[in-house]
Amino acid sequence: MNAQNLPGQRGDHGEVIGTRRGMFGASGGGDTSGYGGLVRSVRMPGATSRPYGGWFDEVADELEGALDEQGLVPENVIEKTVVDRDELTFHIEREYLPAVARTLRDDPALRFELCTGVSGVHFPGDKGRELHAVYHLRSITHNRLIRLEVSAPDADPHVPSLVSVYPTNDWHEREAYDFFGLIFDGHPALTRIMMPDDWQGFPQRKDYPLGGIPVEYKGAQIPAPDQRRSYT
């Protein structure tokens, strides 16, 4: 197996956004395995140069051509194109996201009819673009799968909604809002979907406290995870 295909192994390639110490970045857990001494850089895959290979070039050419026909400058719309682990990702400037999604859906040579949802990601070290929204698009016509990714800063966590383009994104966007605080402008009813309406904070952000709440079970009270016995 090529080292570049191993999860998290990118060598010196890509953009460094932080440093991780210990296994999974955890610390203070009383680790005795030695993994607590690990130090490694956190890297985002960098832009890929052409040719991308296979049908990736065909999709990229068609998308750029279709945007150009709409009077949009592809270089202003597509921040970068990444091919990593045989997957194609277009990083899109967030204000152009609906136009790109509609083009990918409607262009006969593209026909990405299905969006399987949006996932939120939080990179506290990626300054100025800490929050990411990741969309997985599938072309049933051409049997292809690509990814769109947009970013927003913590201070302005707004991303255009894609519900008007892909209606099934309705509850996916609500979930990303609930857990990450991404605000999808234009969503028909952007409310929490998992957490109580009055919940404070966004539980899947990486700077969210790892504490919890005590649980009552058969008359006994079980402490929150961060208050239980320590074996260190």
Side-chain angles (χ1 to χ4, degrees):
M1 180 180 290
N2 190 311
Q4 289 296 103
N5 293 326
L6 293 173
Q9 301 295 320
R10 291 194 172 92
D12 295 327
H13 304 289
E15 178 185 356
V16 177
I17 63 169
T19 302
R20 178 176 297 161
R21 300 179 184 278
M23 180 64 81
F24 307 117
S27 60
D31 173 70
T32 58
S33 68
Y35 285 110
L38 289 175
V39 179
R40 64 177 304 170
S41 58
V42 180
R43 296 176 183 270
M44 301 287 282
T48 303
S49 301
R50 286 181 181 266
Y52 304 136
W55 53 265
F56 293 172
D57 290 280
E58 179 184 341
V59 169
D61 289 341
E62 187 62 34
L63 175 59
E64 291 175 8
L67 293 173
D68 190 57
E69 290 175 2
Q70 298 173 48
L72 298 173
V73 180
E75 291 78 11
N76 296 340
V77 176
I78 304 173
E79 179 186 335
K80 64 179 177 179
T81 301
V82 175
V83 176
D84 188 51
R85 297 175 176 83
D86 295 324
E87 296 178 340
L88 175 64
T89 303
F90 295 107
H91 290 252
I92 306 298
E93 295 291 342
R94 56 179 168 167
E95 62 267 29
Y96 296 109
L97 178 62
V100 171
R102 194 171 290 109
T103 300
L104 288 166
R105 183 193 66 182
D106 296 342
D107 190 288
L110 296 170
R111 281 285 188 264
F112 286 90
E113 308 98 331
L114 177 63
C115 178
T116 58
V118 56
S119 302
V121 190
H122 185 212
F123 293 107
D126 198 7
K127 300 303 181 183
R129 52 184 188 182
E130 292 87 356
L131 293 169
H132 293 238
V134 184
Y135 302 82
H136 303 272
L137 306 185
R138 180 175 292 278
S139 170
I140 299 172
T141 299
H142 302 294
N143 191 26
R144 292 169 174 173
L145 181 67
I146 66 171
R147 185 184 296 109
L148 298 182
E149 186 168 338
V150 297
S151 62
D154 268 336
D156 180 28
H158 290 263
V159 173
S161 171
L162 287 189
V163 172
S164 62
V165 183
Y166 296 109
T168 54
N169 256 28
D170 188 326
W171 74 267
H172 292 279
E173 291 183 2
R174 286 182 61 192
E175 185 178 61
Y177 161 71
D178 196 356
F179 288 149
F180 291 91
L182 280 161
I183 300 173
F184 294 91
D185 296 329
H187 189 283
L190 193 63
T191 58
R192 289 192 182 272
I193 192 172
M194 302 293 286
M195 307 301 293
D197 291 339
D198 59 351
W199 192 267
Q200 298 296 313
F202 305 104
Q204 288 191 346
R205 288 197 184 190
K206 292 181 180 177
D207 54 5
Y208 189 81
L210 290 178
I213 57 176
V215 178
E216 290 189 7
Y217 181 72
K218 291 188 176 181
Q221 190 175 66
I222 302 172
D226 59 330
Q227 298 170 4
R228 297 175 190 170
R229 180 187 301 175
S230 173
Y231 293 92
T232 59

